[in-house]
């Protein structure tokens, strides 16, 4: 009996894992690219955030965005996540004048609310939001509740999925 229960639990976990990681991604053309922050301890970029930033760089190299919004406040670090993100992107060769900073948010909902406000002020009408695969479904739900039309992108390959699963277990 316990063996069957264990098999059932493992099967359900695998099914859930596949559901989370097999989300539909749409990298369409947009006015802006939004990169959501991730908890940076000791003012260092977390591997999940580095993955987001590197993916953003690859999109900037293949798509045309008027602006890039980096979003994240000081959650676990002294320096806001958005400032660390901006500095990383500039170090990798992106144009500093193209990057807008949102550094007040403390969570995903605030990220999206404040980015939506920045878009309105900057007259930006469409966006691609970058996060990690495990976060896309949640963001899709939140953006719909906020009336924030967006498409989503994340790096997806076997190595990324494996690394995310190891770090989130």
């Amino acid at each position: 009996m316990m063996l069957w229960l264990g098999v059932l639990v493992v099967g359900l976990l695998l099914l859930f894992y596949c559901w989370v990681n097999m989300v539909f991604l749409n990298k369409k053309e947009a006015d802006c690219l939004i990169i959501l922050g991730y908890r940076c301890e000791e003012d260092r970029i977390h591997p999940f955030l580095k993955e987001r930033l590197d993916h953003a760089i690859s999109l900037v190299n293949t798509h045309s965005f008027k602006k890039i919004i980096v979003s994240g406040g000081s959650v676990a670090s002294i320096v806001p996540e958005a400032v660390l993100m901006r500095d990383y992107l500039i170090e990798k060769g992106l144009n500093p004048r193209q990057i807008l900073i949102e550094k007040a948010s403390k969570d995903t909902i605030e990220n999206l609310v404040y980015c939506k406000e920045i878009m309105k002020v900057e007259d930006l009408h469409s966006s691609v939001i970058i996060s990690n695969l495990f976060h896309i479904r949640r963001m899709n739900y939140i953006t719909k509740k906020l009336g924030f039309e967006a498409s989503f992108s994340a790096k997806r390959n076997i190595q990324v999925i494996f690394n995310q699963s190891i770090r989130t277990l």
Side-chain angles (χ1 to χ4, degrees):
M1 179 69 169
M2 292 299 286
L3 177 64
W4 286 107
L5 183 59
V7 169
L8 178 64
V9 168
V10 169
L12 289 173
L13 287 173
L14 284 173
L15 185 62
F16 176 75
Y17 180 75
C18 289
W19 177 77
V20 165
N21 286 292
M22 296 305 139
V23 65
F24 178 73
L25 300 174
N26 183 5
K27 296 181 280 189
K28 67 179 185 178
E29 295 293 324
D31 290 341
C32 73
L33 183 65
I34 297 172
I35 311 164
L36 298 186
Y38 192 92
R39 186 180 184 97
C40 296
E41 295 183 7
E42 299 177 12
D43 296 334
R44 288 183 297 174
I45 293 176
H46 187 279
F48 285 161
L49 183 53
K50 183 180 181 313
E51 179 184 302
R52 295 175 188 186
L53 293 166
D54 290 342
H55 183 61
I57 292 167
S58 71
L59 287 182
V60 168
N61 290 331
T62 58
H63 293 71
S64 178
F65 299 100
K66 293 177 186 173
K67 295 291 182 180
I68 300 166
I69 303 173
V70 290
S71 179
S74 299
V75 177
S77 61
I78 295 169
V79 178
E81 294 164 12
V83 171
L84 295 171
M85 295 163 67
R86 177 207 56 205
D87 293 347
Y88 181 88
L89 294 173
I90 291 169
E91 179 183 303
K92 297 295 181 180
L94 270 61
N95 182 350
R97 290 184 296 274
Q98 189 180 15
I99 302 170
L100 303 173
I101 298 174
E102 181 289 299
K103 60 183 179 179
S105 61
K106 302 291 185 193
D107 58 38
T108 303
I109 295 171
E110 289 181 359
N111 287 139
L112 297 170
V113 167
Y114 299 152
C115 284
K116 186 177 177 182
E117 290 174 8
I118 290 171
M119 286 178 65
K120 185 176 181 180
V121 168
E122 294 288 327
D123 197 32
L124 302 167
H125 304 284
S126 58
S127 64
V128 174
I129 302 174
I130 293 183
S131 191
N132 302 95
L133 279 173
F134 61 81
H135 199 217
I136 299 290
R137 287 190 188 274
R138 181 170 179 259
M139 286 188 335
N140 188 29
Y141 174 80
I142 294 169
T143 55
K144 284 182 181 176
K145 289 294 182 185
L146 293 174
F148 185 165
E149 192 171 326
S151 61
F152 306 96
S153 187
K155 187 171 183 181
R156 178 171 29 207
N157 62 40
I158 294 298
Q159 182 180 357
V160 166
I161 292 170
F162 178 76
N163 289 341
Q164 287 180 15
S165 64
I166 295 300
R167 287 190 181 107
T168 56
L169 288 180

